[in-house]
Amino acid sequence: MDDTDRSDGLEHLYSETVRETMDGSVYGAWRSIRDADAVLLSFGFPYPDSFPNGELLSAAESLFEAEGDCALQYGGGEHADALSTVIADRARDRGIDCTTAEIHVTNGATNAIDTVCQTFLDPGDTVFVEAPTFMGALRLFRNYDVDIEGFDVDADGLDVDAVADALAEREAAGEPLPTLLYTIPNFHNPTGVTLSAGRRERLLELAETYDFVILEDDPYGQLRYDGAEPPPIKALDERGRAIRVNTFSKTIAPGIRTGWAIADESVVEQFDRVNAGGEPSFTRGLITSYAADGRLERAVDELCVGYEERRDRMLESLETRMPPETTWSEPAGGFFVWVEFPEGIDAEELLPDAIDAGVTYLPGSFFYPDDGGTHHARISFSHASPPAIDEGIDALATAVRAAMPTVEADD
């Protein structure tokens, strides 16, 4: 396997951000993934050739030419200040009418989610999430000692009818209503599905009726390879019920570590107090410089070409190699495919055999607030090369087929 198809140690860093979500047995599985000498389909990392090294170097040179030492001071210079304008302009391109006063810049999207948690959550509050959902968000919510309730996801995203039923039941029983509902509406992590436009509208109606905040996390929304984009939840939000979180990690590079939240101005003022000093000033200036002259838009277009090739290769490889009893999602964008193994195959138990065969993935149980995902796995097409994707899926198919006779014998 070529060295470029490995994560060059980044998997170790990524594991440190999620290890608190897991009990001992699951963390043991995580360590196996981290240390595996195999095709890594487990991590949602961009592929190395996607990084705009030369463009970022040019942007940094332009920044220093314009601002000199000021670019490295606390708070940065004019370019750092202008990043909110860049973000607002791009938000308006997606139908979100916002001003710079409605934008809070953060040290990545996870920092933005944490800022929302600090602002809105108290111990004992209730948070509704998709089940499955981003395990990093689950870790953050657990840090605030809240009750987490998960709701199923289908081909059209979050089951909003189930959310509506739960809200009505809680209200009738006098039980606490949620303070926050967290959703990844576009190319959901881990399933890859997209929340339908009708469900987005219904969710906002429920938020108004039952007085909760929708936290819309959209790191993958610009990485669309098929179809038209539904309007962002924030674009439909007329009463300030939604807070939108986004990041440059997927459209520039993870090391940029710059995200933001869009919310009503009064809420952003609270974010500014809670997260004072949480903005990377030099990186803000660098991104502003890089985004000039349409470079960021061109980069996103090129990323979509590279990721679409990998997405298509993974779906084709699954179709030609996996046992017919296996099913999977077919995402229109993003990084991930959600695989359901044949009946009786436990994804965590299968993982060591899959690693021995030459591939890693994340068991579905990692993404649930409670029990769930036993027969599921998240695989990522974002980092591996197309040939490595074939190699990895072939190894996965080998492991699944080897497990199936054992399952039948046990029955």
Side-chain angles (χ1 to χ4, degrees), residues 46 48 50-53 56 247-258 283 287 290 296 303 307:
S50 71
F51 297 147
N53 298 350
L56 288 175
T247 178
F248 288 110
S249 293
K250 307 302 187 292
T251 53
I252 301 179
I256 290 293
R257 302 307 307 152
T258 304
T283 308
I287 294 171
Y290 171 71
L296 182 53
L303 285 173
Y307 288 133

Side-chain angles (χ1 to χ4, degrees), residues 63-106:
L63 177 62
F64 283 122
E65 288 174 3
E67 298 189 352
D69 294 343
C70 185
L72 294 174
Q73 281 289 4
Y74 288 112
E78 293 181 0
H79 282 70
D81 293 339
L83 182 60
S84 292
T85 300
V86 172
I87 292 170
D89 289 345
R90 293 174 66 81
R92 283 191 287 270
D93 288 343
R94 299 182 71 187
I96 302 167
D97 186 15
C98 67
T99 67
T100 56
E102 296 170 292
I103 294 168
H104 176 74
V105 181
T106 63

Side-chain angles (χ1 to χ4, degrees), residues 106-362:
T106 63
N107 185 24
T110 301
N111 179 221
I113 296 170
D114 189 48
T115 300
V116 174
C117 291
Q118 290 184 63
T119 303
F120 285 94
L121 296 181
D122 291 314
D125 283 353
T126 298
V127 175
F128 282 5
V129 301
E130 292 147 336
T133 192
F134 172 46
M135 55 189 170
L138 290 175
R139 178 181 63 86
L140 288 176
F141 297 144
R142 290 184 177 116
N143 286 344
Y144 289 89
D145 195 23
V146 298
D147 296 323
I148 305 172
E149 182 170 354
F151 294 86
D152 288 345
V153 173
D154 61 25
D156 289 321
L158 173 66
D159 186 346
V160 177
D161 285 341
V163 172
D165 290 344
L167 290 166
E169 290 171 5
R170 281 175 172 264
E171 185 177 60
E175 297 176 350
L177 294 171
T179 303
L180 196 69
L181 183 147
Y182 173 73
T183 180
I184 308 169
N186 295 316
F187 319 127
H188 176 258
N189 179 6
T191 67
V193 301
T194 293
L195 186 66
S196 68
R199 292 188 183 185
R200 296 173 190 228
E201 294 172 355
R202 178 87 189 285
L203 203 53
L204 281 166
E205 293 170 359
L206 293 173
E208 176 67 18
T209 300
Y210 293 98
D211 191 25
F212 62 85
V213 173
I214 299 170
L215 177 51
E216 175 187 24
D217 187 7
D218 188 30
Y220 311 102
Q222 289 187 277
L223 301 177
R224 172 173 287 278
Y225 322 130
D226 299 317
E229 178 185 5
I233 294 173
K234 190 60 182 172
L236 302 170
D237 180 26
E238 298 179 353
R239 298 183 179 274
R241 286 291 169 184
I243 297 171
R244 179 176 173 82
V245 168
N246 212 319
T247 178
F248 288 110
S249 293
K250 307 302 187 292
T251 53
I252 301 179
I256 290 293
R257 302 307 307 152
T258 304
W260 64 92
I262 300 176
D264 284 0
E265 187 172 345
S266 61
V267 175
V268 168
E269 290 173 356
Q270 296 180 65
F271 292 165
D272 291 341
R273 290 192 293 271
V274 166
N275 195 39
E279 306 174 14
S281 58
F282 173 73
T283 308
R284 282 165 36 212
L286 177 65
I287 294 171
T288 299
S289 179
Y290 171 71
D293 303 322
R295 282 186 290 194
L296 182 53
E297 285 72 17
R298 291 193 297 273
V300 171
D301 290 341
E302 292 173 3
L303 285 173
C304 287
V305 172
Y307 288 133
E308 182 178 8
E309 178 187 10
R310 286 163 170 78
R311 189 273 317 259
D312 291 348
R313 189 67 163 262
M314 178 167 281
L315 294 179
E316 291 168 4
S317 195
L318 287 165
E319 183 66 33
T320 58
R321 290 173 166 82
M322 294 298 291
E325 297 87 349
T326 311
T327 61
W328 51 87
S329 62
E330 297 188 3
F335 281 6
F336 306 114
V337 173
W338 187 239
V339 176
E340 183 173 6
F341 294 132
E343 184 67 29
I345 294 183
D346 184 297
E348 281 189 45
E349 293 179 358
L350 180 68
L351 182 57
D353 293 334
I355 291 172
D356 287 343
V359 67
T360 71
Y361 57 80
L362 293 190

